[in-house]
Amino acid sequence: MHSILGLVLSLILLLHQPCSALPFGSSSGNKSSNNNKEEEDSSSSSSQQQQQRDAASSNLVKKMETVSVRGAAAKVSTSDSKSSSSSSSSLAVGVETFFSSSILDEKASESLQQDIRRMANDEYMQNFLSTTRRALHRHPELMYQEAFTSDTIQAILTELNIRYTTGWAKNIHQDVYPGPGGYGIVAHIGTQREDQPCIILRADMDALPIEESTRNIESFKSLNKGKMHACGHDGHVTMLLGAAALLKRIESSIQGTVRLMFQPAEEGGAGGKRMVQEGVVNLSPKAQYAFGMHVWPTLPTGAVASRPGPLMAAADTFEIVVSGKGGHAAMPHLTIDPIVAASSLVVNLQTIVSRTVSPLESGVVSITQITAGDAFNVIPSAAILKGTVRALSTDMLIELRSKIEGMVHTTSMLHGCNSTITFSPDFYPPTVNDGELFEWSKQVGGLVSREGHVRNVEPTMGGEDFSFLAEAVPATFFFLGQGSGGGGDEKYHLPRTDYGLHHPSFALDEEVMPIGVELHVNLALRALKKLSSDDMEDAVKVEL
């Protein structure tokens, strides 16, 4: 299926490549200047026609992608094969037995895990996961612009007969981030009864402004120039859709509600905050737990990792404008040089963490971009610096922001310059795993991990807007190892999967996707069981 689709896509793209003009006849190089206008008009018309052909080609490709993923989804949801039907029936029975058994019944728990693993790895699920993920990978979209991604998710949910709502995560800062937003989706599987528990499973869906250079994935490489799924969000969406397909097949046996949260604009746009503000937690029934996960290239494929407390950092971005007085580079005494001021500022900012923050605390202040001047002999009138600030607590992040502002003001003033600093509209709080819930969640993660346990990892200074969910409701966030694919040896046409997140050669190990499906489904079913049992215990205590 993948090879046929790849061949058809290649033919479509080939047919719509622009043709080079051929110089027919001996007079082809002797055109009169009177023809220049006609040539310009012809060129403009040709360019417009090519754009129209490209747009038509792109729309055709997207329609084919939608047909392909819906077909794969249909096979997952309505497969007539004996083995698949048997597995589905077995899991439904296993779920019913699990919910009716004691929370300490190890036999029912083990049987449930085996059934989930079998279904997450059958041929129909494998085909669905690969087909869906590759379709999303071909069409990466930046935050608040995820139209195709959202349409694809909706098409699959419709095929699976899963109820959902759209229009989530509207962009309220269009002056900062282009795009209208509203491409988020919230779906429900289960009873949706107020008297039964509800949990959230979340996946992010936006891509990055990176030109893809991943090798050996020509059949599904990014078709959107300068855009790439370099953080694995195409895999995150696919894993949650796979879990949705599996959960839907046993919906009648689920006691409670599983809320699926497909979230746009994670890469700096605070889409998670938008959805929390719009009420994703407080929908009826109100969510009591939330779970999320992220593929992690520095861990081997099959490993599951996390930690209690802060797992990922609070994060913010900033832009500094240092304004001076421009002039001739040969006469610096007649100028106020913003480049010298900016250079001092870069060095001075590094003393904030090293000399004003306790060595027992964690903090990062990094300048990542400097822009100034357009000529070698001109001192510009302004310099622009951009960067990021990170910490493992919101209080420390706010403290660092304040110190950055003070350093910018005093350094600029020392050099006779003016300055402004602008932070992002929404800083990210740290992603904090609820301590009590983590102790339970790591047992579930251990069932899924191919290592038999959840690795305890150090916090990372990377940011993640799952943090907004974790502030609103007890939550656990996991890292899924994916660094073993290809083994660093591409002779078998497998891309290496140990490149870091946001690297132009990043590649997802597709072997991790069934593991993600397993983890989502186990967390959902077992959390609902836990919450039901906790409610019963509380009711007994009240009666006593």
Side-chain angles (χ1 to χ4, degrees):
M1 171 65 76
H2 298 314
S3 60
I4 294 174
L5 179 59
L7 178 60
V8 173
L9 293 176
S10 298
L11 288 172
I12 292 172
L13 294 173
L14 180 61
L15 288 171
H16 289 278
Q17 291 300 310
C19 298
S20 299
L22 298 176
F24 295 111
S26 59
S27 63
S28 59
N30 300 317
K31 295 183 180 294
S32 167
S33 60
N34 293 333
N35 293 332
N36 287 347
K37 183 64 168 65
E38 293 179 8
E39 289 178 1
E40 291 177 3
D41 292 343
S42 176
S43 176
S44 176
S45 176
S46 177
S47 176
Q48 292 176 358
Q49 291 174 2
Q50 183 60 44
Q51 290 177 2
Q52 292 172 354
R53 286 196 296 268
D54 289 344
S57 174
S58 177
N59 290 334
L60 179 58
V61 169
K62 290 178 179 179
K63 289 179 180 178
M64 290 177 61
E65 302 276 24
T66 301
V67 171
S68 179
V69 297
R70 289 196 70 157
K75 289 182 179 179
V76 170
S77 63
T78 61
S79 173
D80 293 327
S81 77
K82 291 183 179 180
S83 61
S84 182
S85 297
S86 175
S87 295
S88 183
S89 177
S90 174
L91 179 58
V93 172
V95 171
E96 290 178 1
T97 302
F98 175 73
F99 276 110
S100 63
S101 66
S102 164
I103 197 168
L104 301 176
D105 190 332
E106 294 184 3
K107 184 177 180 180
S109 175
E110 182 179 349
S111 176
L112 178 67
Q113 166 55 15
Q114 291 174 350
D115 288 338
I116 292 172
R117 179 163 296 182
R118 184 163 50 249
M119 289 190 67
N121 287 275
D122 73 21
E123 61 176 312
Y124 295 101
M125 180 63 76
Q126 294 273 12
N127 178 62
F128 169 72
L129 295 175
S130 182
T131 300
T132 301
R133 182 256 161 172
R134 294 182 180 192
L136 295 174
H137 193 84
R138 289 187 191 96
H139 304 280
E141 298 168 305
L142 304 184
M143 58 178 165
Y144 292 121
Q145 302 171 50
E146 307 94 335
F148 172 79
T149 306
S150 184
D151 288 345
T152 301
I153 296 169
Q154 292 176 54
I156 292 172
L157 293 175
T158 299
E159 190 66 45
L160 296 174
N161 196 29
I162 295 174
R163 53 196 180 276
Y164 63 88
T165 58
T166 61
W168 293 83
K170 293 180 176 64
N171 184 6
I172 64 173
H173 298 295
Q174 293 190 44
D175 57 323
V176 179
Y177 313 117
Y183 295 114
I185 299 166
V186 175
H188 290 93
I189 300 172
T191 62
Q192 280 196 269
R193 284 172 46 178
E194 284 279 359
D195 61 340
Q196 291 185 331
C198 172
I199 64 95
I200 291 175
L201 302 177
R202 172 266 195 181
D204 43 11
M205 55 198 278
D206 54 327
L208 288 157
I210 296 174
E211 185 69 30
E212 184 165 34
S213 59
T214 307
R215 296 176 59 188
N216 299 321
I217 62 165
E218 280 69 21
S219 65
F220 58 95
K221 203 166 188 175
S222 170
L223 298 176
N224 295 344
K225 185 174 178 57
K227 301 174 185 177
M228 174 192 176
H229 271 296
C231 202
H233 295 185
D234 51 340
H236 298 168
V237 168
T238 301
M239 291 187 289
L240 187 53
L241 286 169
L246 202 158
L247 289 166
K248 182 62 181 181
R249 294 177 68 169
I250 56 170
E251 183 174 31
S252 61
S253 302
I254 296 174
Q255 296 181 20
T257 302
V258 181
R259 182 168 298 150
L260 310 175
M261 177 178 168
F262 296 93
Q263 181 222 301
E266 188 279 329
E267 297 290 357
K273 182 177 183 179
R274 300 285 86 78
M275 293 185 74
V276 170
Q277 290 175 332
E278 292 163 357
V280 69
V281 172
N282 295 321
L283 287 174
S284 178
K286 185 176 180 179
Q288 294 165 270
Y289 290 156
F291 301 98
M293 58 193 70
H294 203 298
V295 294
W296 213 248
T298 58
L299 295 170
T301 302
V304 178
S306 192
R307 74 183 307 276
L311 175 65
M312 302 184 75
D316 202 356
T317 59
F318 55 82
E319 177 177 301
I320 302 165
V321 179
V322 179
S323 301
K325 178 182 177 183
H328 201 294
M331 306 173 191
H333 60 294
L334 300 179
T335 71
I336 301 176
D337 194 339
I339 292 182
V340 173
S343 300
S344 296
L345 184 56
V346 171
V347 175
N348 292 345
L349 286 172
Q350 300 313 302
T351 66
I352 291 178
V353 173
S354 66
R355 288 296 176 266
T356 71
V357 175
S358 166
L360 302 180
E361 293 277 1
S362 295
V364 171
V365 177
S366 292
I367 298 296
T368 58
Q369 183 178 345
I370 303 176
T371 306
D374 298 301
F376 66 89
N377 59 351
V378 178
I379 292 174
S381 60
I384 300 173
L385 301 88
K386 297 181 181 180
T388 184
V389 54
R390 314 269 170 140
L392 289 178
S393 71
T394 298
D395 289 344
M396 177 54 67
L397 182 76
I398 292 173
E399 181 179 336
L400 290 175
R401 282 175 28 135
S402 177
K403 290 180 177 180
I404 291 170
E405 287 180 306
M407 187 69 75
V408 168
H409 174 70
T410 54
T411 301
S412 299
M413 186 171 61
L414 177 65
H415 289 271
C417 293
N418 295 318
S419 61
T420 60
I421 181 169
T422 305
F423 291 96
S424 66
D426 304 288
F427 70 80
Y428 286 15
T431 300
V432 180
N433 284 333
D434 180 83
E436 182 179 345
L437 180 60
F438 175 80
E439 291 305 312
W440 173 86
S441 300
K442 73 177 182 180
Q443 304 301 322
V444 180
L447 293 174
V448 175
S449 169
R450 300 312 188 246
E451 298 179 331
H453 66 278
V454 170
R455 294 191 183 194
N456 198 306
V457 293
E458 292 296 314
T460 172
M461 299 306 281
E464 164 63 63
D465 75 349
F466 181 83
S467 55
F468 293 106
L469 259 184
E471 282 190 328
V473 65
T476 304
F477 197 74
F478 290 95
F479 295 153
L480 297 185
Q482 71 124 59
S484 304
D489 182 356
E490 299 182 12
K491 67 180 180 179
Y492 296 111
H493 305 290
L494 291 171
R496 284 179 52 178
T497 64
D498 57 352
Y499 284 105
L501 301 173
H502 296 205
H503 191 285
S505 292
F506 172 85
L508 182 78
D509 183 358
E510 293 188 340
E511 295 297 317
V512 77
M513 292 194 292
I515 300 173
V517 172
E518 284 184 51
L519 185 53
H520 274 308
V521 174
N522 273 285
L523 286 168
L525 297 177
R526 296 174 189 276
L528 293 177
K529 171 72 176 288
K530 177 185 183 299
L531 287 166
S532 295
S533 299
D534 290 348
D535 290 343
M536 290 180 63
E537 290 180 6
D538 291 341
V540 170
K541 289 178 182 178
V542 170
E543 291 181 5
L544 293 176

